[in-house]
Amino acid sequence: MNKEPDRIEQLVSEKRVKLHLFEPSQRKIWTVVGKTEEHWVDPDGCFCSCPGFYFGSINGKTSCYHLDSIQYAKNQNKFETIIFSDDEFSSFLTGLISDL
């Protein structure tokens, strides 16, 4: 039994899919709050920082439920948008990378 659709719906309904939008540049960083940590997700580059994506890619998988949840959230227009100034971009990235 595939529980992935339920996990995706739960992530979206709990507002754990987040778009970090930097202004005025309009740069976007997507994150998904998982069970124990927040994952950086690049839907355009088809990448997720979670271990499942890494190990799945070794076995030929091209996605994970975090990536799929972003697409679902975008289709449903159900994601949290957090606005930052461009001045905060560097420190945001530094914090995100240090958590990986």
Side-chain angles (χ1 to χ4, degrees):
M1 185 165 118
N2 186 357
K3 295 186 177 202
E4 219 165 87
D6 292 339
R7 291 166 90 182
I8 292 168
E9 286 182 25
Q10 183 178 5
L11 283 173
V12 172
S13 69
E14 292 176 358
K15 298 188 182 212
R16 292 165 50 193
V17 176
K18 302 183 185 305
L19 169 63
H20 307 271
L21 181 63
F22 294 84
E23 295 185 336
S25 68
Q26 297 299 300
R27 288 185 278 195
K28 299 174 183 174
I29 295 178
W30 288 91
T31 62
V32 175
V33 179
K35 293 176 191 168
T36 58
E37 57 193 354
E38 194 164 9
H39 303 288
W40 168 46
V41 183
D42 180 359
D44 297 328
C46 199
F47 171 81
C48 180
S49 66
C50 77
F53 178 80
Y54 173 75
F55 289 109
S57 66
I58 292 171
N59 296 320
K61 278 186 74 179
T62 58
S63 191
C64 67
Y65 76 95
H66 302 112
L67 261 169
D68 295 339
S69 68
I70 288 186
Q71 192 57 52
Y72 181 81
K74 287 168 75 173
N75 290 343
Q76 301 290 319
N77 198 27
K78 291 183 178 179
F79 52 87
E80 183 177 354
T81 301
I82 305 164
I83 308 291
F84 293 92
S85 75
D86 282 335
D87 294 341
E88 298 172 280
F89 187 74
S90 179
S91 60
F92 183 89
L93 276 183
T94 299
L96 187 63
I97 291 169
S98 71
D99 288 343
L100 295 179

